[in-house]
């Protein structure tokens, strides 16, 4: 099996060719349904689509691609690679960045977010998936968006990242890995890979110069409205007055929230070649077969 992620077409593009796969992800998506977030006063943008809806799209896609029976679908899906996430970050972002909720308060959402991810993973396994990659969350304490809001607290580590918010991301990732271990034990015939986005991102920061990134702009957005981190929540990339750096390929962050294509490429290579996806032997088998 060969996978070319650049050919994975977005599902809502009705004219797309899905021969190489389908992408059900949506910008701003959450693991939890909107109603669950609203119960605690957390607002998701109108265009946000929860993970449960993406799963429904996947099922509709199976029905539309002529799987006459569950058995036929299972045969088709047995050779496919499923990437479930990275998801959950926006559930926390909306609480931290919009409501300025405390880290301890947001920890209450972690088990719910993990359960939502696991429910989808279990369901795609039931449908026939045999190879699944589930990524962890990035170190949000290194994000220009978080730094612009919370760096004044002085809670910075040697890299200049926010210790407490990175500890929160690690808490999520630890809970996720424990759940993945349980999923593996219950499905010994399925390969479930944990993609350590946190570790791969830190590896990028620690080897930034060797990877071609500008050392003095590692925690700054390429596209933004100035300030120490070139990020302004009220004047985000694309708004009047924002500017773009001369060479995005030398910046890690694109808009203060998302990474640049070059940063994503470096992280992807780290997952494949630097051991940031576990178990490592399973990763090599998936990509070499």
């Amino acid at each position: 099996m060969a996978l070319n992620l650049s050919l994975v077409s977005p599902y809502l593009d009705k004219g797309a060719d899905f021969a190489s796969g389908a992408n059900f992800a949506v910008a701003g998506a959450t693991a939890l349904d909107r109603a669950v977030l609203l119960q605690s006063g957390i607002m998701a943008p109108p265009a946000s689509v929860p993970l449960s809806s993406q799963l429904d799209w996947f099922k509709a896609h199976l029905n539309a691609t002529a799987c006459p029976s569950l058995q036929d679908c299972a045969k088709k899906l047995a050779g496919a690679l499923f990437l479930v996430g990275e998801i959950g970050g926006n559930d926390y972002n909306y609480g931290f960045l919009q409501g300025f909720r405390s880290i301890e308060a947001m920890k209450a959402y972690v088990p719910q977010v993990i359960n939502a991810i696991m429910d989808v993973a279990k369901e795609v396994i039931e449908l026939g998936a045999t190879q699944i990659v589930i990524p962890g969350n990035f170190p949000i304490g290194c994000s220009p968006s978080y730094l612009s809001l919370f760096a004044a607290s002085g809670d910075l580590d040697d890299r200049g990242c926010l210790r407490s918010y990175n500890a929160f991301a690690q808490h999520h990732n630890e809970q996720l890995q424990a759940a993945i271990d349980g999923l593996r034990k219950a499905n010994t015939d399925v390969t479930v890979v944990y993609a350590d986005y946190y570790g791969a991102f830190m590896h990028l920061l620690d080897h930034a110069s060797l990877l071609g990134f500008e050392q003095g702009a590692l925690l700054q957005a390429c596209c933004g409205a100035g300030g120490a981190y070139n990020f302004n929540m009220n004047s985000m990339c694309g708004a009047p007055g924002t500017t773009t750096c001369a060479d995005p390929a030398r910046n890690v962050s694109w808009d203060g929230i998302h990474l640049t294509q070059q940063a994503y490429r470096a992280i992807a290579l780290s997952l494949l070649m630097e051991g940031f996806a576990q178990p490592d032997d399973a990763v090599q088998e998936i990509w070499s077969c």
Side-chain angles (χ1 to χ4, degrees), residues 200 211 262-276:
L211 294 170
Q262 192 69 9
Y264 282 126
R265 181 179 185 276
I267 286 171
L269 290 174
S270 289
L271 295 173
L272 293 174
M273 303 172 66
E274 300 288 347
F276 289 103

Side-chain angles (χ1 to χ4, degrees), residues 91-150:
D91 299 70
Y92 308 137
N93 289 341
Y94 297 144
F96 284 135
L97 302 181
Q98 293 179 3
F100 299 100
R101 283 169 171 76
S102 71
I103 291 173
E104 288 305 312
M106 289 306 297
K107 279 186 177 180
Y109 282 93
V110 174
Q112 297 177 70
V113 168
I114 300 300
N115 286 339
I117 297 170
M118 288 299 107
D119 286 345
V120 169
K122 291 172 185 175
E123 190 147 359
V124 296
I125 288 173
E126 290 176 3
L127 290 169
T130 63
Q131 300 176 116
I132 303 174
V133 177
I134 304 178
N137 280 353
F138 286 103
I140 57 176
C142 299
S143 170
S145 56
Y146 279 79
L147 285 163
S148 68
L149 291 172
F150 306 119

Side-chain angles (χ1 to χ4, degrees), residues 197-208:
Y197 281 15
Y198 187 104
F201 185 92
M202 290 305 194
H203 179 268
L204 185 161
L205 290 187
D206 292 342
H207 300 83

Side-chain angles (χ1 to χ4, degrees), residues 114-115 118 122 134 173-185 192:
I114 300 300
N115 286 339
M118 288 299 107
K122 291 172 185 175
I134 304 178
N173 291 340
E174 289 165 0
Q175 299 299 310
L176 179 61
Q177 289 178 79
I180 289 173
D181 285 342
L183 187 66
R184 290 188 184 117
K185 291 175 182 176
V192 185

Side-chain angles (χ1 to χ4, degrees), residues 186-200:
N187 300 274
T188 55
D189 57 338
V190 177
T191 298
V192 185
V193 173
Y194 171 70
D196 182 8
Y197 281 15
Y198 187 104

